[in-house]
Amino acid sequence: MAAGATYEPIATTTVSGGSTSEVEFASISGSYTDLIIVGNLGAATTSYMSARFNSDTGSNYSVTNLSGNGSTALSNRATSRSVADISFEVTAGSTINKNFIAQIMNYSNSTTYKTILSRINNAGTGTSATVGLWRSTSAITNIKLYSSTGNGANLYNFTSGSTFTLYGIAAA
């Protein structure tokens, strides 16, 4: 097999002309093994970034998070949530941009639950690593990202200049 690109860009969204409380990737093809979302969040006042798959608002998500800022370390775990957390910030309200990467494994597999591994970095407030689980065997065809205070409450906005790129990992 000839060598090719591993990450194939599927869609990119840049918030412009104001702000928005959610970003959506719709009609996602099932032709990849995994999905990767990479982004840079503008200077928003947020403590969480969450995801919802296929518009599932049921209590089908769980999360474990580790975060730290150089002097304080935190961890938390939650089950029966209505969203999957992509990030948890040590200090909310920072005006420093944040970058993140989220990996969604086996997103098109129809026999397993979906695992999400993510990391967000903020030079001003620290870093966080999160593992999430969507307890559904449905293939993921739609992803909505929310800037929130946790459990999907749309209380904050992604600011102008925030970018989000969805990649598909090509099958070997």
Side-chain angles (χ1 to χ4, degrees):
M1 172 183 250
T6 302
Y7 280 44
E8 184 173 312
I10 298 172
T12 297
T13 298
T14 300
V15 178
S16 63
S19 61
T20 185
S21 62
E22 68 183 46
V23 169
E24 181 175 15
F25 295 108
S27 302
I28 300 169
S29 165
S31 61
Y32 304 98
T33 59
D34 304 307
L35 297 174
I36 306 285
I37 304 170
V38 177
N40 184 50
L41 304 177
T45 308
T46 183
S47 56
Y48 289 89
M49 184 173 64
S50 302
R52 186 168 283 139
F53 304 120
N54 298 353
S55 302
D56 180 2
T57 59
S59 299
N60 299 315
Y61 304 87
S62 59
V63 62
T64 301
N65 177 268
L66 301 170
S67 57
N69 63 9
S71 61
T72 303
L74 302 170
S75 67
N76 66 323
R77 168 132 178 77
T79 59
S80 300
R81 296 175 50 90
S82 63
V83 292
D85 288 336
I86 299 296
S87 70
F88 173 82
E89 282 200 70
V90 177
T91 305
S94 169
T95 58
I96 298 173
N97 290 352
K98 306 143 196 83
N99 60 65
F100 74 92
I101 184 168
Q103 300 167 288
I104 305 167
M105 274 68 78
N106 295 315
Y107 78 100
S108 61
N109 186 316
S110 61
T111 60
T112 60
Y113 291 165
K114 309 308 179 273
T115 302
I116 307 100
L117 297 174
S118 61
R119 180 180 168 121
I120 191 164
N121 304 297
N122 183 328
T125 62
T127 190
S128 113
T130 304
V131 60
L133 181 68
W134 181 39
R135 291 182 303 279
S136 174
T137 57
S138 296
I140 295 173
T141 58
N142 180 283
I143 301 170
K144 283 188 182 178
L145 300 175
Y146 301 91
S147 181
S148 68
T149 59
N151 212 16
N154 285 342
L155 299 179
Y156 300 116
N157 287 330
F158 297 121
T159 58
S160 185
S162 296
T163 60
F164 305 84
T165 302
L166 177 67
Y167 295 92
I169 301 299

